[in-house]
């Protein structure tokens, strides 16, 4: 039965999906996995277009993705399990569930870190400069994040605090925080992050077309811009998270990554091309 708070907060809202899993016979089809796969497909497609525009071959992208994607999935899951071990290894929990990635729980920074290792392996096999490939990949990567976030919508997870805004997200009673069981609508942080990621992708494509950044700096811009959005979105979330000195661990990770990206942007300079007589020429204007 609805309580007074629930009745007051459901005048206008975004509904949650009634289910996130469908079955083809005994085979479960999970919306979370479909969102991740859709994001990967879009990332590969956009990276192929951008890499070809830089003089590369489409096959390069597929070969690198074959290494980067599985490394990224493993890295994302490892980050989640390491930062929230109580979900899997506390008394009464089931450690085997650490392998259940379809239940949600992929940390972006673990995915980027280990995915970069896979990309490095793939680039080395193809004789490609990792920094150049990362610049071509950056817009597609953040678009993949924007699409993948909709998997959290299907799982009814990673939402923010209670909200009465017209775009507040309705959460079913089974998925609500235990301290607000009668509150029906919450900030849709998955949507905020998805929209922010789309904005970052537009920024990166704009900067790439104007050839403002290269040699890995466009990828660093992606990292810096994403972490700025992640900081304020993380502050809205009410799901469980371990804290250190009053901040969620993801906040500290984002801060460290932002400082590293900002430092890289400040330090990495566009190399001057060599002219016919061996003297440095004007700043390189390659995409």
């Amino acid at each position: 039965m609805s309580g007074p708070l629930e009745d007051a907060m459901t005048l206008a809202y975004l509904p949650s999906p009634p289910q996130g899993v469908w079955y083809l016979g005994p085979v479960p089809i999970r919306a979370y996995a479909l969102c991740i796969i859709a994001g990967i497909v879009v990332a590969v497609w956009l990276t192929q277009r951008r890499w070809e525009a830089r003089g590369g071959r489409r096959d390069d992208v597929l070969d690198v993705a074959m290494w980067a994607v599985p490394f990224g999935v493993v890295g994302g899951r490892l980050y989640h399990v390491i930062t929230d071990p109580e979900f899997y290894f506390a008394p009464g929990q089931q450690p085997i569930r650490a392998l259940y990635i379809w239940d949600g729980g992929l940390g972006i920074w673990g995915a980027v870190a280990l995915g970069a290792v896979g990309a490095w392996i793939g680039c080395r096999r193809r004789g490609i400069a990792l920094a150049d490939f990362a610049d071509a990949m950056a817009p597609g990567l953040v678009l993949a994040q924007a699409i993948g976030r909709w998997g959290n919508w299907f799982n009814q997870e990673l939402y923010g605090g209670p909200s009465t805004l017209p775009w507040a997200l309705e959460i079913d009673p089974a998925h609500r925080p235990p301290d607000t069981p009668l509150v029906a609508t919450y900030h849709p942080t998955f949507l905020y992050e998805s929209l922010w990621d789309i904005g970052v992708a537009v920024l990166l494509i704009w900067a790439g077309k104007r050839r403002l950044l290269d040699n890995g700096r466009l990828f660093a811009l992606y990292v810096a811009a994403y972490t700025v959005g992640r900081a304020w979105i993380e502050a809205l979330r009410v799901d469980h998270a371990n804290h250190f000195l009053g901040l969620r661990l993801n906040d500290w990770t984002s801060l460290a990554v932002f400082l590293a990206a900002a430092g890289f942007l400040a330090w990495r300079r566009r190399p001057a091309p060599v002219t016919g007589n061996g003297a440095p020429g004007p700043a390189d204007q390659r995409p």
Side-chain angles (χ1 to χ4, degrees), residues 219-221 223-224 256-266:
F219 187 85
L221 177 61
V223 172
V257 172
F258 172 81
L259 292 175
F264 184 86
L265 283 167

Side-chain angles (χ1 to χ4, degrees), residues 1-273:
M1 182 176 179
S2 298
L5 286 177
E6 184 171 355
D7 291 337
M9 298 180 71
T10 55
L11 295 177
Y13 59 86
L14 298 176
S16 288
Q19 65 185 95
V21 184
W22 301 268
Y23 288 88
L24 293 178
V27 180
I29 306 298
R30 302 181 185 275
Y32 186 84
L34 293 177
C35 290
I36 292 175
I37 292 170
I40 292 171
V41 170
V42 170
V44 169
W45 168 77
L46 182 56
T47 303
Q48 284 179 324
R49 293 192 59 181
R50 290 173 54 79
W51 188 241
E52 280 188 314
R54 291 166 174 253
R57 295 177 296 181
R58 293 177 65 88
D59 290 347
D60 292 338
V61 178
L62 290 174
D63 195 66
V64 174
M66 291 294 292
W67 289 92
V69 170
F71 271 69
V73 171
V74 172
R77 190 59 175 179
L78 282 175
Y79 179 89
H80 168 71
V81 172
I82 290 171
T83 55
D84 291 300
E86 61 276 10
F87 287 153
Y88 310 101
F89 305 111
Q93 299 296 336
Q94 299 175 321
I96 189 64
R97 295 187 66 84
L99 303 177
Y100 294 178
I101 63 172
W102 52 83
D103 286 339
L106 292 175
I108 182 59
W109 297 125
V112 170
L114 211 54
V117 174
W120 174 77
I121 295 173
C123 286
R124 186 168 182 178
R125 286 166 51 89
R126 303 287 290 195
I128 297 170
L130 178 61
D132 291 339
F133 189 85
D135 285 343
M137 177 183 62
L141 178 58
V142 75
L143 275 181
Q145 291 174 234
I147 297 170
R149 269 301 175 210
W150 286 83
N152 302 131
W153 179 52
F154 282 95
N155 282 358
Q156 297 195 43
E157 60 186 1
L158 306 188
Y159 46 83
S163 173
T164 57
L165 294 170
W167 55 84
L169 178 67
E170 183 187 33
I171 298 296
D172 293 339
H175 299 282
R176 295 174 192 169
D179 55 342
T180 55
L182 298 181
V183 178
T185 53
Y186 299 80
H187 279 288
T189 51
F190 85 91
L191 178 61
Y192 297 161
E193 186 168 335
S194 182
L195 293 175
W196 182 270
D197 290 346
I198 292 172
V200 173
V202 172
L203 171 65
L204 297 177
I205 292 172
W206 173 83
K209 285 185 176 180
R210 282 154 182 77
R211 303 177 181 179
L212 300 177
L213 299 169
D214 60 3
N215 299 304
R217 293 191 299 162
L218 192 69
F219 187 85
L221 177 61
Y222 144 68
V223 172
Y226 172 75
T227 53
V228 169
R230 184 61 184 265
W232 67 266
I233 293 169
E234 195 77 18
L236 294 174
R237 284 170 49 173
V238 295
D239 56 299
H240 168 81
N242 289 310
H243 288 69
F244 178 71
L245 296 179
L247 289 178
R248 295 163 69 101
L249 288 181
N250 280 336
D251 284 322
W252 287 111
T253 303
S254 292
L255 177 60
V257 172
F258 172 81
L259 292 175
F264 184 86
L265 283 167
W267 168 76
R268 188 73 179 260
R269 292 290 183 265
R270 188 191 304 270

Side-chain angles (χ1 to χ4, degrees), residues 272-282:
V274 177
T275 62
N277 59 7

